[in-house]
Amino acid sequence: MSNNNTGIDRRIRKSKKTLKESLISLMQTKDFREISITDIVELADLNRGTFYKHYQYKEELLEEIMEDVIADLILSYREPYKNGDTFTINELTASVIKIFEHVANYKNIYTLVLKSNALPKLHDRICNELKKLPLEDLEDYRPNPKINAELASSYQAYAILGMIIEWVNTGFTYSADYMAEQLLEIITNRPVNAVFKINHTFNDGQK
Amino acid sequence: MSNNNTGIDRRIRKSKKTLKESLISLMQTKDFREISITDIVELADLNRGTFYKHYQYKEELLEEIMEDVIADLILSYREPYKNGDTFTINELTASVIKIFEHVANYKNIYTLVLKSNALPKLHDRICNELKKLPLEDLEDYRPNPKINAELASSYQAYAILGMIIEWVNTGFTYSADYMAEQLLEIITNRPVNAVFKINHTFNDGQK
DNA sequence: CCACTTATTGTACAGATGTTCATTAACTAC
DNA sequence: GTAGTTAATGAACATCTGTACAATAAGTGG
């Protein structure tokens, strides 16, 4: 077949790259809603037809920008698992830290995109990735059989997204390490004193 | 001043009502993206200028539709606190159940709107309401001072949203009671066996 | 280098958007 | 009921959207 390394025609690669740069550039000073496709192609110095050749609407362009970011998110949380082939808690903790470090690395784009409210699907997209994290391992080694795994997984993923969104809203006033600490703290801090129906047996097992 | 009961001119009330009905009607068969403002006003049999008199764009119309729904959400979780003036765990549990019942009551609109991906702000809007729930009370009566309240609050609110979204995605195959049970189960199920750094002391306090 | 493929361009067009304005109709307060 | 306010209407306009098509340029594989 063709394509030297990326798998695409160089012209496509260039056009897409320019379009992405133009949109991000425009988003620095203009609301996403106010930016027209005409604006984007004019700044990119490309024909409007070129835009429509690759994207249906500007949201799709922004989605692709975020896919690049999410690709790095995936790399980030997988990194700690690269070397070791056996699972250890430290690797998981490291993985959690890496997620927040990743967000901090891309804080400008996360702030821009999350505050622009331009991508309704982004939350779900990020959470679908977070669900792939073996966070259940953080939970309990003898999982509660009553708990619906799908619900718990969605619960956990959106919970982390919630922390990230709060982080973004504060303008990244905390460090990535602090965020990871907080997550671990929240997850491990259980209401041993909860008043209502406690059907579980709390023991201190193989601690 | 004017306005008999709602605080608005009857013409406005009628126009807005008709516009909302038209949009919801169109969303039954058409993707939100595909629906034009012209479509909406034609079905509503109103002048296009009337739309622009009240809304900037169709997302704003849908937002107002959801504000009506959220108004009921607020009523729902507050209901258990109406009569009793003292706080009890049962009221809180009841409040949690009410939230899921509310979503079940509006399952059509929630499904429609969440799957349409038309309202980026909706997640945040719902979570801001959920944050007002005293869910920390479900957590621990002697709260962990290390935990950042804002982060934990956002964590918890988005977590519940995550459950709701998963619920919507399954097509409401569970009952509202089951959802409430699951939430309480997930919250109370703590990793007493967690291997990594446990700086907390687990005691069974004033149980 | 050549033959082939395909991305980009320029142009055109129907429809939608967002705004303006004068006119008409409906509502409110009294 | 009347006077005053304001929402709804219809028309008009510049701009943007989404699509189509033929011509051209750029890239690919051999």
Side-chain angles (χ1 to χ4, degrees):
Chain A
M1 104 178 349
S2 62
N3 22 67
N4 34 355
N5 51 354
T6 56
I8 335 174
D9 191 311
R10 183 194 297 156
R11 288 170 294 182
I12 301 181
R13 220 162 50 237
K14 279 188 182 176
S15 294
K16 285 193 167 189
K17 186 164 177 284
T18 313
L19 288 170
K20 289 175 188 175
E21 287 167 354
S22 298
L23 176 54
I24 291 181
S25 170
L26 287 167
M27 285 179 75
Q28 308 291 335
T29 51
K30 235 182 177 180
D31 258 24
F32 183 76
R33 152 144 256 125
E34 309 293 329
I35 300 171
S36 71
I37 291 170
T38 304
D39 287 338
I40 299 171
V41 294
E42 273 177 5
L43 180 58
D45 194 27
L46 288 170
N47 190 277
R48 203 156 54 85
T50 303
F51 176 93
Y52 285 107
K53 179 92 187 182
H54 302 299
Y55 307 102
Q56 292 185 68
Y57 27 76
K58 55 184 180 168
E59 282 81 3
E60 205 166 289
L61 173 57
L62 189 56
E63 268 174 35
E64 199 168 288
I65 290 173
M66 287 314 291
E67 278 306 317
D68 298 344
V69 175
I70 288 171
D72 181 81
L73 165 68
I74 296 169
L75 282 181
S76 297
Y77 73 65
R78 279 190 187 154
E79 199 192 316
Y81 294 92
K82 264 186 181 170
N83 308 335
D85 31 1
T86 60
F87 170 82
T88 73
I89 259 304
N90 286 335
E91 278 173 357
L92 180 54
T93 307
S95 195
V96 168
I97 294 172
K98 286 288 178 190
I99 288 178
F100 288 108
E101 280 178 354
H102 151 84
V103 177
N105 285 338
Y106 289 84
K107 67 172 158 184
N108 288 331
I109 188 79
Y110 271 105
T111 304
L112 215 50
V113 175
L114 286 177
K115 294 210 169 174
S116 79
N117 285 117
L119 290 186
K121 294 178 191 167
L122 183 61
H123 285 180
D124 297 343
R125 181 71 190 84
I126 290 173
C127 286
N128 277 336
E129 282 309 322
L130 293 178
K131 281 176 191 170
K132 293 176 186 166
L133 270 172
L135 282 164
E136 323 80 65
D137 298 331
L138 280 176
E139 290 294 321
D140 199 329
Y141 288 115
R142 197 169 10 154
N144 185 338
K146 285 185 181 175
I147 291 180
N148 182 315
E150 295 302 319
L151 288 175
S153 161
S154 195
Y155 173 98
Q156 195 59 255
Y158 279 84
I160 294 174
L161 176 66
M163 288 185 72
I164 292 173
I165 288 172
E166 179 65 26
W167 197 21
V168 170
N169 287 338
T170 63
F172 290 88
T173 47
Y174 311 122
S175 71
D177 280 348
Y178 176 81
M179 292 299 294
E181 267 176 43
Q182 285 293 311
L183 173 57
L184 298 176
E185 206 71 52
I186 292 171
I187 289 178
T188 56
N189 185 51
R190 302 270 139 156
V192 287
N193 300 329
V195 174
F196 54 90
K197 55 163 180 161
I198 295 180
N199 306 323
H200 333 295
T201 51
F202 286 103
N203 58 19
D204 45 302
Q206 65 269 39
K207 147 96 179 296
Chain B
M1 64 162 45
S2 62
N3 21 67
N4 34 356
N5 51 355
T6 58
I8 333 175
D9 191 311
R10 183 194 297 158
R11 290 169 292 181
I12 300 181
R13 220 163 49 237
K14 280 188 181 177
S15 295
K16 284 192 167 190
K17 186 164 176 286
T18 313
L19 288 170
K20 288 176 188 177
E21 287 168 354
S22 298
L23 176 55
I24 290 181
S25 169
L26 288 168
M27 285 178 76
Q28 307 290 335
T29 53
K30 236 181 178 183
D31 258 26
F32 183 75
R33 153 146 257 123
E34 309 294 329
I35 300 170
S36 71
I37 291 170
T38 304
D39 288 338
I40 300 171
V41 294
E42 272 177 5
L43 180 59
D45 193 28
L46 289 170
N47 190 278
R48 203 155 54 83
T50 304
F51 176 94
Y52 284 107
K53 179 94 187 181
H54 302 298
Y55 307 102
Q56 292 184 65
Y57 28 78
K58 54 184 180 168
E59 283 80 4
E60 205 166 290
L61 173 57
L62 188 55
E63 268 174 36
E64 199 168 287
I65 291 173
M66 289 312 293
E67 278 306 318
D68 297 344
V69 175
I70 289 172
D72 180 81
L73 165 68
I74 296 171
L75 282 181
S76 297
Y77 72 65
R78 279 193 189 152
E79 199 190 315
Y81 294 92
K82 263 186 180 167
N83 309 334
D85 31 0
T86 59
F87 170 82
T88 73
I89 260 302
N90 286 336
E91 278 174 357
L92 180 54
T93 306
S95 193
V96 168
I97 295 172
K98 287 287 178 192
I99 288 178
F100 288 108
E101 279 178 355
H102 151 82
V103 176
N105 285 338
Y106 289 85
K107 66 172 156 186
N108 289 330
I109 187 79
Y110 271 105
T111 305
L112 215 52
V113 175
L114 285 177
K115 293 207 170 178
S116 78
N117 285 119
L119 290 187
K121 293 179 194 165
L122 183 61
H123 284 181
D124 296 345
R125 182 70 190 81
I126 291 174
C127 286
N128 276 336
E129 283 309 322
L130 294 178
K131 280 178 191 169
K132 293 177 186 165
L133 271 171
L135 283 164
E136 324 79 65
D137 299 330
L138 281 176
E139 291 292 323
D140 199 327
Y141 288 114
R142 196 167 9 148
N144 184 338
K146 285 184 180 176
I147 291 180
N148 181 316
E150 295 302 319
L151 288 175
S153 161
S154 195
Y155 174 98
Q156 195 60 255
Y158 278 83
I160 295 172
L161 175 67
M163 289 186 71
I164 292 173
I165 287 172
E166 179 64 25
W167 196 21
V168 171
N169 287 338
T170 64
F172 290 89
T173 47
Y174 313 120
S175 71
D177 279 349
Y178 176 81
M179 292 299 294
E181 269 176 40
Q182 285 292 311
L183 173 57
L184 298 177
E185 205 70 51
I186 291 172
I187 290 179
T188 56
N189 185 50
R190 303 268 138 157
V192 287
N193 300 328
V195 175
F196 54 88
K197 51 160 184 160
I198 295 180
N199 303 324
H200 334 295
T201 52
F202 285 104
N203 58 17
D204 44 315
Q206 65 268 39
K207 148 100 179 292

